[in-house]
């Protein structure tokens, strides 16, 4: 039986989470964040700077729109949505370095990270069920 550390190493190679993605983006680490949800979901709200490529379109669009030299992070709605896995698989099959952002858009929002829609920035939410919530004066802008 393989050592459990191999399993966890493999998971970390294939997954990331909203706070790690937020930190990577703020640190200027090269990555392409791809929203693999449908058009209605994208219009309702998304992560600023994300690229919209619904998972069913990745095979046809990614080679022309997404730089294969830059690591890709995909996200869908939530832990209850497997479109992120489908999108990550599609990118992996094209040869991209790709990880799925576990928790998806839901946990990005619940952790208070910035979101926007076509009209601009949306209100930030800080959910005490998924993070430590500090006083309003100490919240990030």
């Amino acid at each position: 039986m393989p050592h459990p550390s191999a399993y966890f190493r493999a998971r970390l190679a294939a997954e990331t989470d909203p706070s790690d993605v937020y930190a990577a983006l703020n640190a200027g680490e090269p990555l392409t964040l791809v929203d693999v949800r449908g058009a209605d979901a994208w219009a309702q709200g998304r992560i600023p700077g994300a690229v919209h490529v619904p998972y069913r379109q990745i095979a046809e669009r990614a080679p022309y729109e997404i730089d294969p030299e830059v690591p890709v992070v995909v996200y869908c709605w939530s832990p209850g949505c497997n479109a992120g896995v489908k999108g990550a698989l599609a990118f992996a099959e094209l040869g991209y370095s790709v990880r799925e952002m576990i928790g998806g858009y839901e946990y990005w929002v619940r952790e208070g990270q910035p979101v926007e829609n076509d009209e601009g920035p949306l209100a930030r939410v800080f959910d005490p069920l998924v993070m430590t919530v500090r006083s309003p004066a100490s919240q990030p802008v």
Side-chain angles (χ1 to χ4, degrees), residues 32-44:
T32 302
L33 189 56
V34 180
D35 185 319
V36 300
R37 301 172 303 153
D40 289 342
W42 171 261
Q44 181 174 309

Side-chain angles (χ1 to χ4, degrees), residues 16 28-29 35 41 67 75 84 109 111 116 118 127:
T16 187
E29 292 180 25
D35 185 319
D67 185 347
Y75 70 90
V109 171
E111 291 182 12
E116 66 184 15
D118 292 342
D127 185 340

Side-chain angles (χ1 to χ4, degrees), residues 14-87:
E15 298 175 347
T16 187
D17 67 21
S19 40
D20 285 346
V21 172
Y22 185 68
L25 291 170
N26 282 335
E29 292 180 25
L31 69 86
T32 302
L33 189 56
V34 180
D35 185 319
V36 300
R37 301 172 303 153
D40 289 342
W42 171 261
Q44 181 174 309
R46 59 194 171 257
I47 298 171
V51 177
H52 184 227
V53 184
Y55 76 89
R56 288 185 175 100
Q57 299 174 10
I58 291 169
E60 67 189 54
R61 290 179 50 193
Y64 305 101
E65 298 177 29
I66 309 295
D67 185 347
E69 300 301 316
V70 178
V72 171
V73 172
V74 299
Y75 70 90
C76 68
W77 272 112
S78 69
C81 172
N82 70 0
V85 173
K86 293 173 184 176

Side-chain angles (χ1 to χ4, degrees), residues 52-139:
H52 184 227
V53 184
Y55 76 89
R56 288 185 175 100
Q57 299 174 10
I58 291 169
E60 67 189 54
R61 290 179 50 193
Y64 305 101
E65 298 177 29
I66 309 295
D67 185 347
E69 300 301 316
V70 178
V72 171
V73 172
V74 299
Y75 70 90
C76 68
W77 272 112
S78 69
C81 172
N82 70 0
V85 173
K86 293 173 184 176
L89 175 60
F91 275 106
E93 288 178 338
L94 293 171
Y96 286 77
S97 170
V98 60
R99 291 185 295 162
E100 176 194 13
M101 186 176 78
I102 60 172
Y105 181 74
E106 175 189 356
Y107 277 74
W108 179 274
V109 171
R110 291 177 76 183
E111 291 182 12
Q113 313 305 8
V115 291
E116 66 184 15
N117 63 16
D118 292 342
E119 284 74 49
L122 298 171
R124 293 178 79 174
V125 176
F126 299 91
D127 185 340
L129 295 176
V130 300
M131 65 178 294
T132 302
V133 177
R134 296 174 180 84
S135 68
S138 66
Q139 296 293 355

